[in-house]
Amino acid sequence: MTKDLALALGGGGARAAYQVGVMRALAERFPTLDIPILTGVSAGGINAAHFANHLGTLEEAAEDLTRIWADLDVSGVFETAGGALLWRAFKNGMRLAFGVSSTDGEHRGMVDTAPLRKTLNRALGTSTGRLPNIEKNVASGKLRAVALVTTRYATGQTVTFFSGRDIVGWERPQRRSVHTQLTVDHIMASAALPLFFPAVEVDGSWHGDGGIRLVAPLAPALHLGAGKILAISTLHRRSRKEADIPTFNGPPLPAQILGVLFNAIFLDQLDQDAHELDRVNRLLDDVPPDRRQGLRPVGLQVIRPSVDIGVLANEHEPRLPPAFRYLTRRLGTRRARTQDFLSTVMFQRDFVCRLMELGEKDGSDQAETIAAFLDS
């Protein structure tokens, strides 16, 4: 076992199905691999919690997670019944547009995520929300630490909830850690897309998606003691030529604006953080160990989609549930050639399975590179 190997799983909503495919490929290529440090944010937190809570091998955990995602559809994430969905969207849209306060005292998003809670409870084998297998894996030495990242709305802080052994908590400007026993509430909070999914109450405070202001997505793994980080991004890296091609014509509609915002908040930061880590590593090469002020070189390998997931989402959009498709098309989703926003909430089965297939192919294609990274 590589004792300081960490797996960092970022956000992206339904795009996290890509991570499942990658992990399945890695488990097939490295069946005896143990990953003692796990971190997850947003939908990546769902996957990280699954691996941390699973008592079997990496291969068994990957197969079980594949089945969970393969059986998933939109109705297993949020309520899709036409009348209820449209009424909830209308009511919350009026609150946003005209500042109408809630009269029922509930903190609601545009959709009802009660189905997701049921899905997680069933998938993780819990009726109380507690994830006791994490403690068992820590006690056995299989797992060193696992962390889930949220945003505390009342303070604007990024909060990393973690469970593990011999881990010292940390605090940075607008970032803090909390040692706790992880539950389904922590997963739900980390994955609560702002405005779209409702906030989740954790320890008396309301929390939402951990990617909202997470400027250093690799930081939790570093704090947990990682010496090597395997990060799975859900953002396709476009060539310079591809990046200069407009994805829509005319003035931007809400769907295009949301796509840019979601990328900037949830997906782009990993590349910037990876760039900074590389710079620090190269600087440390020129600094004697006794003058590094506690800094240490950390290896990083990033796996990313070989094709644009937003383009794939556009191909699958016509098969969305009718009421949900009606709402998204009102935002202008049909005008763009790539659906970066829509791809985060498209939890329909055919799209999810397509992403897992893509992840498995990319993981297999990069297996030798990953093997060299693990052996370095």
Side-chain angles (χ1 to χ4, degrees), residues 12 29 34 45 133 142 171 201 203 214 244 247 281 286 313 332:
R29 175 64 173 78
D34 285 328
N133 289 344
K142 175 185 175 182
E171 188 162 347
E201 188 174 16
D203 297 336
L214 185 60
D244 289 338
T247 59
N281 283 339
D286 298 327

Side-chain angles (χ1 to χ4, degrees), residues 146-206:
V146 55
L148 301 177
V149 185
T150 72
T151 300
R152 186 183 179 194
Y153 282 123
T155 62
Q157 293 173 310
T158 294
V159 181
T160 300
F161 293 97
F162 71 93
S163 181
R165 182 173 55 189
D166 301 328
I167 303 296
V168 179
W170 63 93
E171 188 162 347
R172 298 290 186 273
Q174 288 292 39
R175 288 189 282 142
R176 61 187 296 261
S177 64
V178 177
H179 185 252
T180 188
Q181 183 181 49
L182 295 177
T183 67
V184 170
D185 280 341
H186 295 101
I187 305 173
M188 291 284 294
S190 183
L193 292 168
L195 299 180
F196 196 74
F197 286 5
V200 178
E201 188 174 16
V202 178
D203 297 336
S205 296
W206 292 95

Side-chain angles (χ1 to χ4, degrees), residues 33-100:
L33 179 67
D34 285 328
I35 305 177
I37 301 172
L38 298 163
T39 69
V41 58
S42 191
I46 297 174
N47 295 335
H50 170 84
F51 284 110
N53 191 60
H54 201 283
L55 296 176
T57 65
L58 179 65
E59 189 171 22
E60 291 169 340
E63 288 299 320
D64 286 346
L65 188 58
T66 299
R67 284 192 288 271
I68 291 168
W69 278 86
D71 290 338
L72 192 65
D73 59 20
V74 180
S75 63
V77 179
F78 52 83
E79 179 60 55
T80 59
L85 179 62
L86 293 174
W87 171 243
R88 189 182 183 99
F90 171 77
K91 186 165 58 173
N92 284 280
M94 293 293 288
R95 290 173 183 167
L96 287 174
F98 300 105
V100 179

Side-chain angles (χ1 to χ4, degrees), residues 2 25 36 42 50 101 107 117 121 123 125 129 150 153 157-158 163 176 189 213 221 232 236 333 366:
T2 305
S42 191
H50 170 84
S101 61
H107 301 255
R117 183 178 294 276
N121 284 335
T150 72
Y153 282 123
Q157 293 173 310
T158 294
S163 181
R176 61 187 296 261
R213 64 180 310 158
I232 305 179
H236 170 65
T333 55
Q366 299 180 48

Side-chain angles (χ1 to χ4, degrees), residues 119-141:
T119 297
L120 291 175
N121 284 335
R122 181 174 62 254
L124 295 168
T126 177
S127 59
T128 63
R130 297 177 58 193
L131 308 178
N133 289 344
I134 290 179
E135 293 183 348
K136 293 179 181 178
N137 285 329
V138 171
S140 70

